[in-house]
Every structure is written in C-alpha cells, then in structure tokens.
Amino acid sequence: MNDSTPPRPERLVLMNPGPVITDDRVRAALAGPDMCHREPEFSDLLTRVRHKTTLAAGGDERHTSVVLTGSGTAAVEAAVSSAVPRDGALLVVDNGHYGERFQHIADAHGIRTHRLELGWATPVDPAAVERALAADQGLTHVAVVHHETSSGMLNDVAAVARIAHAHGREVVVDAVSSIGAEHIALAEDGIDWLAGSANKCLEGAPGLGFVSAARTAFEGLAGAPRRSYYLDLHRHYTAQEKAQAPAFTPGIPAFYAFDEALDLALAEGREARHARYSALAGRLRDGLEELGLEILLPPGQRAASLTAVRIPAGIGYRELHRGLRAEGFVIYSAQEQLAADFFRLSTMGRMTETDIDRFLAALARTLPTRA
C-alpha cells in the first residue's frame, strides 16, 4: 500500500434493503456439510425451516409454508400465479414500485387486473379499495404490499384484508421487506397468502423465498391453473408436505443459514427486533435532520427498516455513493420516478449504533460544504 491508497474500511456496512449484514452464526451455517437433497437429513432440515417460517409469519396450527429456492420476487410470483383461479381477477393496490410489480406479474400470466394506482408514497385509501371491489364482482383477489420499499412506506394490510373478506375476496400480501420486524401475522391479520424472503428482516442469506398460507388454501390449489412449472405452489406444497422433500434441487447452504437465522429471529421476537430496528432508524433520522437533509415520508407512515432521503443540492447520487463506499458504507438508489431526487438507507440486519454514528460522520464529510 502506498501513501495514495485509501485505508481499507474497518467494516462494510450494507445500508441497502437486503441482502443484509448477517450474524456470524448465520454466515458460519453456510459452510454446513455437503448433503443430498433426497436424503433424510435434508427432509429434517426442510421440515424445521418450514415450521419456523410459519411461526415467523404469525401462523398457527392451521397454517404452513412452502419454501422456494429463489428471491422474494419468486415467492410473490408463485403466490399470484398459483392462487388466482382461471376465471379470477386481481385488484392491484399500487402505491410504489412493488405494488406495480404485482401488475407486471399478473400481466405476464394473463391474469385480468384492476389497478388501483394511488401514486408513489401515497397512503392506501381503504375506501378506494372498497369501491373497487364493489364495482367489479369478478375481482377474486386483492394484492397489496406491506412495506413498499421504493419509498419506505408501511401499508395497513390488515385493513385491506378486512375489506376484502367483507366482500368475499382473498388477499395476497408482499411481506418481503417487512416480515420479521414489522407487525404482520397470518392468523391475527386475516392474510390469505403471504410472500416473504429469507434475506431481509429475517436476516438470513440470499436465495430463499417462501409463501405462507392455510393448509386448506394450499390443498385447494389442486384444481388451479398451472401457469408456471417451477413456481407452481401446489407442486411445491405436495412435495414438501406429503413427501417432506423439495420438488427440485434446493439451495442447501441457504437452507442451513435460514434455519439458524429463524432460530435467532424467533428467540429475539418480532417486537424486540422491531424495537431494535426502530431505535437505529430513529438515531439515523435524527442525524439526517441535523445535517439538514429531508426525509421523504412523515413519521407515521415510515417502516422501521428503511428511510428515503432527498439527495442534497450540489452532489449527485453516484458521487454520494462513491464517497460513502470508500468509507465502508453501501447506500441504495431510489427507483424510477424517485431516483432523480432520493436515495435510500436501510437499518435492516446486524447494524449497530456505532455503525449509524460512523455513517453520519462519513456522510457529513461527503456532503458539499455549505457557503
């Protein structure tokens, strides 16, 4: 190393909303032994992970989970393409990029939709959901995102579920960026289909998604359309529930890591993890405001795990990212219509107060000097 080479950061802090900084025990679990996925050892691992996932999703003895080797998007697509019947249709509640993703998934599978386009970073209007369902009796399912990660907004999915059930419809919830840290529960909130991911607030490794629902709902897919081969939930459910085996070759190291991460999540508890994330987010947001930076959402609408921040005048996102990366922090750009003006900071994963304080100091050094 010569005098012009910057020192290597002491710790790389991932402030992107997944993959997250994982516990040392989760990373160590990735190095588990080689295993054949058709042997009893993997059957035991799969069964444990499915049970713990259902508990993390707030399920009870009526519920179960199907775990897929794929991202959270794979889980969302599996839920939508499998659950909506041939003669069904989907009400898409869209107030950001991931609400819009529901629309794209439905389009890809030829599912009729009604898109309730509310506008990015606009709270869900329950009355508008009710009007849409009353106006179109052919809508069999409602799709809604719990944590809209494009803005950091937390949507009231329990209210949407109550309205949907009052009209005899089912609800598909994208909980990819919320499960593990925000209040969401299959049984308590009346969620019919919940799609999640291992590598965000559950703090596992990337590579696994899951769908949690009532056992009777999975059984009811027997006569559903086969819109996908790999993402056919009934195929996966039958293999995992009846044979205690995967339908296809799974990402075994990710299962090892998820098994460990679920143990840690269940031991900590959702409320404690929510409090931990909230404390980190509060420390971060206070520091951002002290630096004169603008946060996109008002306090009552923010998730505990993500903050969208306006890019300050006099610097672009790429320069901001480059400067902070050199100091050991990975920040995340906003998406599409927010990308020109905002960036995002996650407080998911094994982040510490020291990480937040170091980040705020690095950010202060990176910002343009005020006149």
Side-chain angles (χ1 to χ4, degrees), residues 36-122:
C36 174
H37 62 293
R38 299 300 180 194
E39 291 297 303
E41 294 88 349
F42 185 76
S43 178
D44 292 344
L45 175 60
L46 174 64
T47 300
R48 289 198 307 272
V49 167
R50 292 181 62 218
H51 174 66
K52 294 172 191 176
T53 298
T54 305
L55 294 178
D60 55 29
E61 67 280 356
R62 297 169 295 172
H63 300 95
T64 191
S65 299
V66 164
V67 184
L68 307 168
T69 296
S71 67
T73 303
V76 174
E77 183 167 359
V80 171
S81 62
S82 299
V84 180
R86 287 183 178 84
D87 58 350
L90 188 69
L91 174 63
V92 174
V93 181
D94 175 6
N95 66 341
H97 174 85
Y98 294 94
E100 184 179 341
R101 179 174 67 175
F102 271 123
Q103 179 69 48
H104 294 322
I105 289 170
D107 288 346
H109 292 283
I111 297 170
R112 184 175 75 83
T113 64
H114 175 83
R115 184 174 173 187
L116 186 58
E117 197 167 357
L118 301 168
W120 283 41
T122 301

Side-chain angles (χ1 to χ4, degrees), residues 4-20:
S4 64
T5 304
R8 183 184 295 273
E10 59 184 84
R11 168 176 160 91
L12 183 63
V13 179
L14 302 181
M15 303 190 78
N16 53 286
V20 300

Side-chain angles (χ1 to χ4, degrees), residues 352-365:
T352 67
E353 291 184 353
T354 299
D355 291 329
I356 298 297
D357 293 343
R358 288 180 49 242
F359 169 76
L360 290 167
L363 179 59
R365 289 191 295 270

Side-chain angles (χ1 to χ4, degrees), residues 263-283:
D263 281 342
L264 296 173
L266 293 170
E268 183 177 14
R270 183 190 62 211
E271 295 305 323
R273 183 161 293 183
H274 177 78
R276 173 162 64 87
Y277 282 17
S278 295
L280 291 170
R283 194 179 191 95

